[in-house]
């Protein structure tokens, strides 16, 4: 069994469509980067492309979204 930590796993999801569940809500989009204290997620809000910076301390779960063809 692998002993990877959260950040190691987040790095492997960079460039993929993900959902980030935080204590304040859920966000979906493309994971742009993963740093020691935050993730950067590119998503659309009210039709505009934005980058969200989400503090790792607030994250409950992070997972890759799978589209109808098995990939997004």
């Amino acid at each position: 069994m692998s002993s990877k930590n959260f950040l190691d796993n987040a790095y492997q999801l960079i460039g993929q469509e993900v959902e980030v569940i935080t204590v304040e809500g859920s966000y979906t989009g493309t994971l742009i980067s993963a740093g020691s204290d935050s993730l950067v997620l590119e998503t659309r809000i009210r039709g505009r492309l934005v980058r969200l910076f989400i503090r790792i301390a607030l994250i409950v779960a992070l997972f890759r979204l799978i589209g109808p063809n098995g990939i997004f």
Side-chain angles (χ1 to χ4, degrees), residues 28-30 41-52:
T28 59
T30 303
L41 189 69
E42 189 170 75
T43 190
R44 290 199 177 271
I45 296 178
R46 296 185 196 116
R48 293 183 183 245
L49 192 60
V50 298
R51 288 191 175 187
L52 296 175

Side-chain angles (χ1 to χ4, degrees), residues 13-55:
L13 296 175
I14 291 175
Q16 298 185 43
E17 290 292 313
V18 298
E19 182 166 358
V20 181
I21 300 173
T22 72
V23 295
E24 310 230 341
S26 297
Y27 306 93
T28 59
T30 303
L31 184 61
I32 300 299
S33 68
S36 61
D37 64 345
S38 65
L39 300 181
V40 181
L41 189 69
E42 189 170 75
T43 190
R44 290 199 177 271
I45 296 178
R46 296 185 196 116
R48 293 183 183 245
L49 192 60
V50 298
R51 288 191 175 187
L52 296 175
F53 293 79
I54 303 170
R55 290 183 56 211

Side-chain angles (χ1 to χ4, degrees), residues 66-72:
I66 299 177
N69 298 332
I71 58 171
F72 234 105

